[in-house]
Amino acid sequence: MTEQTAARITDHLAAEDITLQGVLEALTDPVRRSIVRQLADVEDGMACGTFDINVTRSTSTHHFKVLRRAGILRQEYVGTVKTNCLRRADLDRALPGLLDAILAAARREAGQ
């Protein structure tokens, strides 16, 4: 991440501060579970506008903020595009096995 990027998004939760309570609260919403499921299926992350979610732009911004502040995803700018990446390693270290269980349930919920 470049210095310019780091200065633009400053409220990422430190890896050691990721909690079970925070992750579970963030994932109570089906839209946020869908975002996490979609991120899990890509390697390089996704731009905010490319997710298959049926909400307004302001609502999607809120969902990304909740996920970011819970430590579930990392956002950074690539040029003018905000890109999202799942913080799999941090989540697996903080809460071993939880992300895989959540993804399996989210895929069942989505009928995949």
Side-chain angles (χ1 to χ4, degrees):
M1 185 172 3
T2 66
E3 286 183 37
Q4 178 186 13
T5 300
R8 292 174 83 177
I9 303 174
T10 59
D11 63 348
H12 289 103
L13 190 65
E16 61 272 9
D17 294 333
I18 295 172
T19 66
L20 177 62
Q21 181 79 24
V23 169
L24 292 178
E25 285 178 2
L27 294 173
T28 59
D29 189 280
V31 172
R32 292 193 286 267
R33 288 192 303 275
S34 174
I35 291 169
V36 170
R37 181 180 44 79
Q38 290 175 63
L39 278 175
D41 293 338
V42 298
E43 287 186 31
D44 296 329
M46 295 173 66
C48 288
T50 62
F51 286 85
D52 183 18
I53 52 177
N54 192 21
V55 296
T56 65
R57 185 172 178 175
S58 63
T59 301
S60 70
T61 298
H62 168 73
H63 287 306
F64 287 114
K65 181 178 180 179
V66 169
L67 292 169
R68 184 178 68 244
R69 288 188 170 174
I72 297 169
L73 61 80
R74 176 166 302 282
Q75 291 184 310
E76 63 181 30
Y77 281 92
V78 178
T80 59
V81 176
K82 193 183 291 184
T83 302
N84 303 276
C85 295
L86 194 58
R87 292 178 61 182
R88 181 179 287 278
D90 290 339
L91 289 164
D92 286 344
R93 197 170 24 261
L95 305 164
L98 181 64
L99 183 59
D100 289 332
I102 288 169
L103 290 170
R107 287 183 178 115
R108 280 193 306 276
E109 181 178 72
Q112 290 184 332

PDB file of all heavy atoms in Angstrom, residues 31-64:
ATOM      1  N   VAL A  31     -26.526  -8.750   3.214  1.00  0.00           N
ATOM      2  CA  VAL A  31     -25.759  -8.044   2.181  1.00  0.00           C
ATOM      3  C   VAL A  31     -24.267  -8.126   2.491  1.00  0.00           C
ATOM      4  O   VAL A  31     -23.445  -8.385   1.613  1.00  0.00           O
ATOM      5  CB  VAL A  31     -26.217  -6.567   2.039  1.00  0.00           C
ATOM      6  CG1 VAL A  31     -25.289  -5.797   1.116  1.00  0.00           C
ATOM      7  CG2 VAL A  31     -27.646  -6.508   1.539  1.00  0.00           C
ATOM      8  N   ARG A  32     -23.921  -7.945   3.755  1.00  0.00           N
ATOM      9  CA  ARG A  32     -22.504  -8.028   4.131  1.00  0.00           C
ATOM     10  C   ARG A  32     -21.967  -9.450   3.980  1.00  0.00           C
ATOM     11  O   ARG A  32     -20.827  -9.649   3.559  1.00  0.00           O
ATOM     12  CB  ARG A  32     -22.305  -7.477   5.546  1.00  0.00           C
ATOM     13  CG  ARG A  32     -22.561  -5.978   5.594  1.00  0.00           C
ATOM     14  CD  ARG A  32     -22.079  -5.341   6.864  1.00  0.00           C
ATOM     15  NE  ARG A  32     -22.884  -5.606   8.018  1.00  0.00           N
ATOM     16  CZ  ARG A  32     -23.877  -4.830   8.459  1.00  0.00           C
ATOM     17  NH1 ARG A  32     -24.196  -3.726   7.801  1.00  0.00           N
ATOM     18  NH2 ARG A  32     -24.538  -5.147   9.544  1.00  0.00           N
ATOM     19  N   ARG A  33     -22.786 -10.456   4.289  1.00  0.00           N
ATOM     20  CA  ARG A  33     -22.355 -11.835   4.051  1.00  0.00           C
ATOM     21  C   ARG A  33     -22.134 -12.070   2.564  1.00  0.00           C
ATOM     22  O   ARG A  33     -21.187 -12.751   2.167  1.00  0.00           O
ATOM     23  CB  ARG A  33     -23.373 -12.831   4.614  1.00  0.00           C
ATOM     24  CG  ARG A  33     -23.369 -12.893   6.126  1.00  0.00           C
ATOM     25  CD  ARG A  33     -24.155 -14.066   6.666  1.00  0.00           C
ATOM     26  NE  ARG A  33     -25.546 -14.119   6.232  1.00  0.00           N
ATOM     27  CZ  ARG A  33     -26.553 -13.478   6.816  1.00  0.00           C
ATOM     28  NH1 ARG A  33     -26.343 -12.710   7.858  1.00  0.00           N
ATOM     29  NH2 ARG A  33     -27.789 -13.617   6.363  1.00  0.00           N
ATOM     30  N   SER A  34     -22.976 -11.500   1.726  1.00  0.00           N
ATOM     31  CA  SER A  34     -22.819 -11.628   0.276  1.00  0.00           C
ATOM     32  C   SER A  34     -21.514 -10.979  -0.186  1.00  0.00           C
ATOM     33  O   SER A  34     -20.796 -11.531  -1.026  1.00  0.00           O
ATOM     34  CB  SER A  34     -24.010 -10.996  -0.443  1.00  0.00           C
ATOM     35  OG  SER A  34     -23.808 -11.003  -1.830  1.00  0.00           O
ATOM     36  N   ILE A  35     -21.196  -9.822   0.345  1.00  0.00           N
ATOM     37  CA  ILE A  35     -19.941  -9.145  -0.004  1.00  0.00           C
ATOM     38  C   ILE A  35     -18.753 -10.024   0.355  1.00  0.00           C
ATOM     39  O   ILE A  35     -17.839 -10.224  -0.454  1.00  0.00           O
ATOM     40  CB  ILE A  35     -19.849  -7.777   0.695  1.00  0.00           C
ATOM     41  CG1 ILE A  35     -20.870  -6.796   0.109  1.00  0.00           C
ATOM     42  CG2 ILE A  35     -18.431  -7.208   0.605  1.00  0.00           C
ATOM     43  CD1 ILE A  35     -21.051  -5.517   0.902  1.00  0.00           C
ATOM     44  N   VAL A  36     -18.770 -10.590   1.551  1.00  0.00           N
ATOM     45  CA  VAL A  36     -17.661 -11.454   2.000  1.00  0.00           C
ATOM     46  C   VAL A  36     -17.569 -12.692   1.119  1.00  0.00           C
ATOM     47  O   VAL A  36     -16.476 -13.104   0.714  1.00  0.00           O
ATOM     48  CB  VAL A  36     -17.833 -11.822   3.487  1.00  0.00           C
ATOM     49  CG1 VAL A  36     -16.846 -12.894   3.910  1.00  0.00           C
ATOM     50  CG2 VAL A  36     -17.663 -10.571   4.348  1.00  0.00           C
ATOM     51  N   ARG A  37     -18.708 -13.286   0.795  1.00  0.00           N
ATOM     52  CA  ARG A  37     -18.716 -14.474  -0.070  1.00  0.00           C
ATOM     53  C   ARG A  37     -18.121 -14.151  -1.438  1.00  0.00           C
ATOM     54  O   ARG A  37     -17.309 -14.902  -1.967  1.00  0.00           O
ATOM     55  CB  ARG A  37     -20.150 -14.996  -0.218  1.00  0.00           C
ATOM     56  CG  ARG A  37     -20.276 -16.240  -1.079  1.00  0.00           C
ATOM     57  CD  ARG A  37     -21.717 -16.714  -1.191  1.00  0.00           C
ATOM     58  NE  ARG A  37     -22.691 -15.672  -1.433  1.00  0.00           N
ATOM     59  CZ  ARG A  37     -22.913 -15.106  -2.633  1.00  0.00           C
ATOM     60  NH1 ARG A  37     -22.206 -15.482  -3.688  1.00  0.00           N
ATOM     61  NH2 ARG A  37     -23.828 -14.166  -2.776  1.00  0.00           N
ATOM     62  N   GLN A  38     -18.506 -13.025  -2.016  1.00  0.00           N
ATOM     63  CA  GLN A  38     -17.977 -12.635  -3.325  1.00  0.00           C
ATOM     64  C   GLN A  38     -16.479 -12.360  -3.256  1.00  0.00           C
ATOM     65  O   GLN A  38     -15.726 -12.732  -4.157  1.00  0.00           O
ATOM     66  CB  GLN A  38     -18.733 -11.414  -3.850  1.00  0.00           C
ATOM     67  CG  GLN A  38     -20.173 -11.737  -4.243  1.00  0.00           C
ATOM     68  CD  GLN A  38     -20.955 -10.512  -4.645  1.00  0.00           C
ATOM     69  OE1 GLN A  38     -20.599  -9.869  -5.632  1.00  0.00           O
ATOM     70  NE2 GLN A  38     -21.993 -10.173  -3.896  1.00  0.00           N
ATOM     71  N   LEU A  39     -16.017 -11.733  -2.174  1.00  0.00           N
ATOM     72  CA  LEU A  39     -14.582 -11.474  -2.028  1.00  0.00           C
ATOM     73  C   LEU A  39     -13.789 -12.769  -1.886  1.00  0.00           C
ATOM     74  O   LEU A  39     -12.651 -12.851  -2.356  1.00  0.00           O
ATOM     75  CB  LEU A  39     -14.318 -10.594  -0.804  1.00  0.00           C
ATOM     76  CG  LEU A  39     -14.509  -9.108  -0.997  1.00  0.00           C
ATOM     77  CD1 LEU A  39     -14.340  -8.378   0.333  1.00  0.00           C
ATOM     78  CD2 LEU A  39     -13.535  -8.566  -2.032  1.00  0.00           C
ATOM     79  N   ALA A  40     -14.377 -13.754  -1.250  1.00  0.00           N
ATOM     80  CA  ALA A  40     -13.685 -15.030  -1.048  1.00  0.00           C
ATOM     81  C   ALA A  40     -13.454 -15.763  -2.360  1.00  0.00           C
ATOM     82  O   ALA A  40     -12.557 -16.598  -2.464  1.00  0.00           O
ATOM     83  CB  ALA A  40     -14.474 -15.912  -0.087  1.00  0.00           C
ATOM     84  N   ASP A  41     -14.241 -15.425  -3.366  1.00  0.00           N
ATOM     85  CA  ASP A  41     -14.149 -16.112  -4.656  1.00  0.00           C
ATOM     86  C   ASP A  41     -13.169 -15.471  -5.636  1.00  0.00           C
ATOM     87  O   ASP A  41     -13.042 -15.934  -6.764  1.00  0.00           O
ATOM     88  CB  ASP A  41     -15.539 -16.197  -5.302  1.00  0.00           C
ATOM     89  CG  ASP A  41     -16.481 -17.109  -4.527  1.00  0.00           C
ATOM     90  OD1 ASP A  41     -15.995 -17.982  -3.782  1.00  0.00           O
ATOM     91  OD2 ASP A  41     -17.715 -16.941  -4.658  1.00  0.00           O
ATOM     92  N   VAL A  42     -12.500 -14.393  -5.219  1.00  0.00           N
ATOM     93  CA  VAL A  42     -11.532 -13.721  -6.094  1.00  0.00           C
ATOM     94  C   VAL A  42     -10.192 -13.585  -5.377  1.00  0.00           C
ATOM     95  O   VAL A  42     -10.138 -13.539  -4.156  1.00  0.00           O
ATOM     96  CB  VAL A  42     -12.024 -12.321  -6.556  1.00  0.00           C
ATOM     97  CG1 VAL A  42     -13.298 -12.437  -7.358  1.00  0.00           C
ATOM     98  CG2 VAL A  42     -12.206 -11.391  -5.387  1.00  0.00           C
ATOM     99  N   GLU A  43      -9.126 -13.524  -6.148  1.00  0.00           N
ATOM    100  CA  GLU A  43      -7.794 -13.416  -5.551  1.00  0.00           C
ATOM    101  C   GLU A  43      -7.336 -11.980  -5.366  1.00  0.00           C
ATOM    102  O   GLU A  43      -6.692 -11.652  -4.378  1.00  0.00           O
ATOM    103  CB  GLU A  43      -6.772 -14.168  -6.411  1.00  0.00           C
ATOM    104  CG  GLU A  43      -6.891 -15.656  -6.312  1.00  0.00           C
ATOM    105  CD  GLU A  43      -5.774 -16.351  -7.057  1.00  0.00           C
ATOM    106  OE1 GLU A  43      -4.669 -15.784  -7.140  1.00  0.00           O
ATOM    107  OE2 GLU A  43      -6.015 -17.453  -7.543  1.00  0.00           O
ATOM    108  N   ASP A  44      -7.626 -11.121  -6.320  1.00  0.00           N
ATOM    109  CA  ASP A  44      -7.053  -9.784  -6.331  1.00  0.00           C
ATOM    110  C   ASP A  44      -7.954  -8.710  -5.749  1.00  0.00           C
ATOM    111  O   ASP A  44      -7.638  -7.532  -5.838  1.00  0.00           O
ATOM    112  CB  ASP A  44      -6.671  -9.395  -7.764  1.00  0.00           C
ATOM    113  CG  ASP A  44      -5.586 -10.296  -8.320  1.00  0.00           C
ATOM    114  OD1 ASP A  44      -4.748 -10.770  -7.529  1.00  0.00           O
ATOM    115  OD2 ASP A  44      -5.588 -10.527  -9.548  1.00  0.00           O
ATOM    116  N   GLY A  45      -9.069  -9.067  -5.180  1.00  0.00           N
ATOM    117  CA  GLY A  45      -9.987  -8.078  -4.645  1.00  0.00           C
ATOM    118  C   GLY A  45     -10.958  -7.587  -5.704  1.00  0.00           C
ATOM    119  O   GLY A  45     -10.894  -7.974  -6.867  1.00  0.00           O
ATOM    120  N   MET A  46     -11.864  -6.722  -5.272  1.00  0.00           N
ATOM    121  CA  MET A  46     -12.908  -6.210  -6.157  1.00  0.00           C
ATOM    122  C   MET A  46     -13.145  -4.737  -5.874  1.00  0.00           C
ATOM    123  O   MET A  46     -13.094  -4.305  -4.724  1.00  0.00           O
ATOM    124  CB  MET A  46     -14.230  -6.959  -5.918  1.00  0.00           C
ATOM    125  CG  MET A  46     -14.205  -8.424  -6.276  1.00  0.00           C
ATOM    126  SD  MET A  46     -15.734  -9.290  -5.787  1.00  0.00           S
ATOM    127  CE  MET A  46     -16.950  -8.526  -6.857  1.00  0.00           C
ATOM    128  N   ALA A  47     -13.440  -4.009  -6.922  1.00  0.00           N
ATOM    129  CA  ALA A  47     -13.822  -2.603  -6.771  1.00  0.00           C
ATOM    130  C   ALA A  47     -15.224  -2.529  -6.175  1.00  0.00           C
ATOM    131  O   ALA A  47     -16.059  -3.412  -6.406  1.00  0.00           O
ATOM    132  CB  ALA A  47     -13.788  -1.900  -8.126  1.00  0.00           C
ATOM    133  N   CYS A  48     -15.492  -1.492  -5.419  1.00  0.00           N
ATOM    134  CA  CYS A  48     -16.795  -1.348  -4.743  1.00  0.00           C
ATOM    135  C   CYS A  48     -17.974  -1.480  -5.700  1.00  0.00           C
ATOM    136  O   CYS A  48     -18.967  -2.119  -5.373  1.00  0.00           O
ATOM    137  CB  CYS A  48     -16.863  -0.009  -4.018  1.00  0.00           C
ATOM    138  SG  CYS A  48     -15.814   0.055  -2.551  1.00  0.00           S
ATOM    139  N   GLY A  49     -17.892  -0.897  -6.875  1.00  0.00           N
ATOM    140  CA  GLY A  49     -19.016  -0.903  -7.809  1.00  0.00           C
ATOM    141  C   GLY A  49     -19.231  -2.202  -8.554  1.00  0.00           C
ATOM    142  O   GLY A  49     -20.177  -2.307  -9.330  1.00  0.00           O
ATOM    143  N   THR A  50     -18.395  -3.215  -8.334  1.00  0.00           N
ATOM    144  CA  THR A  50     -18.506  -4.458  -9.094  1.00  0.00           C
ATOM    145  C   THR A  50     -19.224  -5.578  -8.353  1.00  0.00           C
ATOM    146  O   THR A  50     -19.407  -6.659  -8.903  1.00  0.00           O
ATOM    147  CB  THR A  50     -17.117  -4.957  -9.528  1.00  0.00           C
ATOM    148  OG1 THR A  50     -16.336  -5.233  -8.361  1.00  0.00           O
ATOM    149  CG2 THR A  50     -16.416  -3.928 -10.401  1.00  0.00           C
ATOM    150  N   PHE A  51     -19.639  -5.341  -7.120  1.00  0.00           N
ATOM    151  CA  PHE A  51     -20.310  -6.382  -6.346  1.00  0.00           C
ATOM    152  C   PHE A  51     -21.745  -6.549  -6.814  1.00  0.00           C
ATOM    153  O   PHE A  51     -22.396  -5.591  -7.219  1.00  0.00           O
ATOM    154  CB  PHE A  51     -20.297  -6.026  -4.854  1.00  0.00           C
ATOM    155  CG  PHE A  51     -18.959  -6.215  -4.218  1.00  0.00           C
ATOM    156  CD1 PHE A  51     -18.007  -5.214  -4.291  1.00  0.00           C
ATOM    157  CD2 PHE A  51     -18.636  -7.388  -3.562  1.00  0.00           C
ATOM    158  CE1 PHE A  51     -16.761  -5.377  -3.715  1.00  0.00           C
ATOM    159  CE2 PHE A  51     -17.395  -7.564  -2.987  1.00  0.00           C
ATOM    160  CZ  PHE A  51     -16.461  -6.560  -3.063  1.00  0.00           C
ATOM    161  N   ASP A  52     -22.239  -7.769  -6.744  1.00  0.00           N
ATOM    162  CA  ASP A  52     -23.623  -8.072  -7.090  1.00  0.00           C
ATOM    163  C   ASP A  52     -24.469  -7.949  -5.821  1.00  0.00           C
ATOM    164  O   ASP A  52     -24.755  -8.937  -5.140  1.00  0.00           O
ATOM    165  CB  ASP A  52     -23.716  -9.477  -7.677  1.00  0.00           C
ATOM    166  CG  ASP A  52     -25.124  -9.831  -8.128  1.00  0.00           C
ATOM    167  OD1 ASP A  52     -25.936  -8.900  -8.313  1.00  0.00           O
ATOM    168  OD2 ASP A  52     -25.401 -11.034  -8.273  1.00  0.00           O
ATOM    169  N   ILE A  53     -24.783  -6.692  -5.481  1.00  0.00           N
ATOM    170  CA  ILE A  53     -25.645  -6.422  -4.329  1.00  0.00           C
ATOM    171  C   ILE A  53     -26.696  -5.411  -4.776  1.00  0.00           C
ATOM    172  O   ILE A  53     -26.407  -4.507  -5.538  1.00  0.00           O
ATOM    173  CB  ILE A  53     -24.857  -5.902  -3.111  1.00  0.00           C
ATOM    174  CG1 ILE A  53     -23.973  -4.709  -3.471  1.00  0.00           C
ATOM    175  CG2 ILE A  53     -24.018  -7.018  -2.496  1.00  0.00           C
ATOM    176  CD1 ILE A  53     -23.222  -4.096  -2.305  1.00  0.00           C
ATOM    177  N   ASN A  54     -27.905  -5.602  -4.303  1.00  0.00           N
ATOM    178  CA  ASN A  54     -29.022  -4.779  -4.753  1.00  0.00           C
ATOM    179  C   ASN A  54     -29.361  -3.725  -3.701  1.00  0.00           C
ATOM    180  O   ASN A  54     -30.401  -3.781  -3.048  1.00  0.00           O
ATOM    181  CB  ASN A  54     -30.230  -5.668  -5.039  1.00  0.00           C
ATOM    182  CG  ASN A  54     -31.314  -4.919  -5.771  1.00  0.00           C
ATOM    183  OD1 ASN A  54     -31.054  -3.900  -6.404  1.00  0.00           O
ATOM    184  ND2 ASN A  54     -32.535  -5.407  -5.679  1.00  0.00           N
ATOM    185  N   VAL A  55     -28.427  -2.771  -3.512  1.00  0.00           N
ATOM    186  CA  VAL A  55     -28.640  -1.671  -2.574  1.00  0.00           C
ATOM    187  C   VAL A  55     -28.136  -0.382  -3.217  1.00  0.00           C
ATOM    188  O   VAL A  55     -27.386  -0.415  -4.194  1.00  0.00           O
ATOM    189  CB  VAL A  55     -27.912  -1.913  -1.230  1.00  0.00           C
ATOM    190  CG1 VAL A  55     -28.482  -3.123  -0.504  1.00  0.00           C
ATOM    191  CG2 VAL A  55     -26.416  -2.059  -1.428  1.00  0.00           C
ATOM    192  N   THR A  56     -28.536   0.742  -2.648  1.00  0.00           N
ATOM    193  CA  THR A  56     -28.079   2.023  -3.174  1.00  0.00           C
ATOM    194  C   THR A  56     -26.594   2.204  -2.879  1.00  0.00           C
ATOM    195  O   THR A  56     -26.014   1.510  -2.040  1.00  0.00           O
ATOM    196  CB  THR A  56     -28.844   3.186  -2.530  1.00  0.00           C
ATOM    197  OG1 THR A  56     -28.540   3.222  -1.131  1.00  0.00           O
ATOM    198  CG2 THR A  56     -30.349   3.057  -2.756  1.00  0.00           C
ATOM    199  N   ARG A  57     -25.997   3.154  -3.548  1.00  0.00           N
ATOM    200  CA  ARG A  57     -24.564   3.414  -3.361  1.00  0.00           C
ATOM    201  C   ARG A  57     -24.258   3.817  -1.916  1.00  0.00           C
ATOM    202  O   ARG A  57     -23.276   3.351  -1.334  1.00  0.00           O
ATOM    203  CB  ARG A  57     -24.111   4.485  -4.338  1.00  0.00           C
ATOM    204  CG  ARG A  57     -22.629   4.714  -4.284  1.00  0.00           C
ATOM    205  CD  ARG A  57     -22.178   5.637  -5.373  1.00  0.00           C
ATOM    206  NE  ARG A  57     -20.756   5.855  -5.244  1.00  0.00           N
ATOM    207  CZ  ARG A  57     -20.041   6.528  -6.087  1.00  0.00           C
ATOM    208  NH1 ARG A  57     -20.608   7.048  -7.155  1.00  0.00           N
ATOM    209  NH2 ARG A  57     -18.757   6.692  -5.913  1.00  0.00           N
ATOM    210  N   SER A  58     -25.090   4.663  -1.337  1.00  0.00           N
ATOM    211  CA  SER A  58     -24.829   5.091   0.041  1.00  0.00           C
ATOM    212  C   SER A  58     -24.964   3.924   1.015  1.00  0.00           C
ATOM    213  O   SER A  58     -24.194   3.807   1.974  1.00  0.00           O
ATOM    214  CB  SER A  58     -25.756   6.244   0.448  1.00  0.00           C
ATOM    215  OG  SER A  58     -27.105   5.837   0.425  1.00  0.00           O
ATOM    216  N   THR A  59     -25.913   3.039   0.770  1.00  0.00           N
ATOM    217  CA  THR A  59     -26.068   1.862   1.621  1.00  0.00           C
ATOM    218  C   THR A  59     -24.892   0.913   1.461  1.00  0.00           C
ATOM    219  O   THR A  59     -24.387   0.360   2.443  1.00  0.00           O
ATOM    220  CB  THR A  59     -27.398   1.143   1.312  1.00  0.00           C
ATOM    221  OG1 THR A  59     -28.475   2.060   1.531  1.00  0.00           O
ATOM    222  CG2 THR A  59     -27.590  -0.083   2.184  1.00  0.00           C
ATOM    223  N   SER A  60     -24.411   0.722   0.240  1.00  0.00           N
ATOM    224  CA  SER A  60     -23.249  -0.146   0.045  1.00  0.00           C
ATOM    225  C   SER A  60     -22.026   0.450   0.738  1.00  0.00           C
ATOM    226  O   SER A  60     -21.234  -0.285   1.341  1.00  0.00           O
ATOM    227  CB  SER A  60     -22.981  -0.403  -1.438  1.00  0.00           C
ATOM    228  OG  SER A  60     -22.515   0.749  -2.085  1.00  0.00           O
ATOM    229  N   THR A  61     -21.873   1.771   0.701  1.00  0.00           N
ATOM    230  CA  THR A  61     -20.764   2.424   1.396  1.00  0.00           C
ATOM    231  C   THR A  61     -20.823   2.104   2.888  1.00  0.00           C
ATOM    232  O   THR A  61     -19.801   1.808   3.515  1.00  0.00           O
ATOM    233  CB  THR A  61     -20.812   3.947   1.173  1.00  0.00           C
ATOM    234  OG1 THR A  61     -20.660   4.204  -0.225  1.00  0.00           O
ATOM    235  CG2 THR A  61     -19.728   4.671   1.951  1.00  0.00           C
ATOM    236  N   HIS A  62     -22.008   2.139   3.449  1.00  0.00           N
ATOM    237  CA  HIS A  62     -22.181   1.800   4.869  1.00  0.00           C
ATOM    238  C   HIS A  62     -21.757   0.349   5.133  1.00  0.00           C
ATOM    239  O   HIS A  62     -21.039   0.068   6.106  1.00  0.00           O
ATOM    240  CB  HIS A  62     -23.632   2.011   5.293  1.00  0.00           C
ATOM    241  CG  HIS A  62     -23.938   1.427   6.629  1.00  0.00           C
ATOM    242  ND1 HIS A  62     -23.499   1.973   7.805  1.00  0.00           N
ATOM    243  CD2 HIS A  62     -24.629   0.302   6.959  1.00  0.00           C
ATOM    244  CE1 HIS A  62     -23.901   1.213   8.814  1.00  0.00           C
ATOM    245  NE2 HIS A  62     -24.591   0.200   8.323  1.00  0.00           N
ATOM    246  N   HIS A  63     -22.198  -0.576   4.287  1.00  0.00           N
ATOM    247  CA  HIS A  63     -21.858  -1.985   4.482  1.00  0.00           C
ATOM    248  C   HIS A  63     -20.346  -2.206   4.418  1.00  0.00           C
ATOM    249  O   HIS A  63     -19.785  -2.938   5.239  1.00  0.00           O
ATOM    250  CB  HIS A  63     -22.569  -2.860   3.452  1.00  0.00           C
ATOM    251  CG  HIS A  63     -24.029  -3.006   3.703  1.00  0.00           C
ATOM    252  ND1 HIS A  63     -24.561  -3.430   4.890  1.00  0.00           N
ATOM    253  CD2 HIS A  63     -25.094  -2.768   2.888  1.00  0.00           C
ATOM    254  CE1 HIS A  63     -25.881  -3.469   4.816  1.00  0.00           C
ATOM    255  NE2 HIS A  63     -26.231  -3.060   3.600  1.00  0.00           N
ATOM    256  N   PHE A  64     -19.676  -1.577   3.459  1.00  0.00           N
ATOM    257  CA  PHE A  64     -18.222  -1.717   3.363  1.00  0.00           C
ATOM    258  C   PHE A  64     -17.538  -1.142   4.605  1.00  0.00           C
ATOM    259  O   PHE A  64     -16.565  -1.714   5.109  1.00  0.00           O
ATOM    260  CB  PHE A  64     -17.683  -1.043   2.094  1.00  0.00           C
ATOM    261  CG  PHE A  64     -18.009  -1.793   0.845  1.00  0.00           C
ATOM    262  CD1 PHE A  64     -18.860  -1.250  -0.100  1.00  0.00           C
ATOM    263  CD2 PHE A  64     -17.474  -3.050   0.604  1.00  0.00           C
ATOM    264  CE1 PHE A  64     -19.164  -1.945  -1.264  1.00  0.00           C
ATOM    265  CE2 PHE A  64     -17.775  -3.758  -0.552  1.00  0.00           C
ATOM    266  CZ  PHE A  64     -18.628  -3.202  -1.484  1.00  0.00           C
TER     267      PHE A  64
END
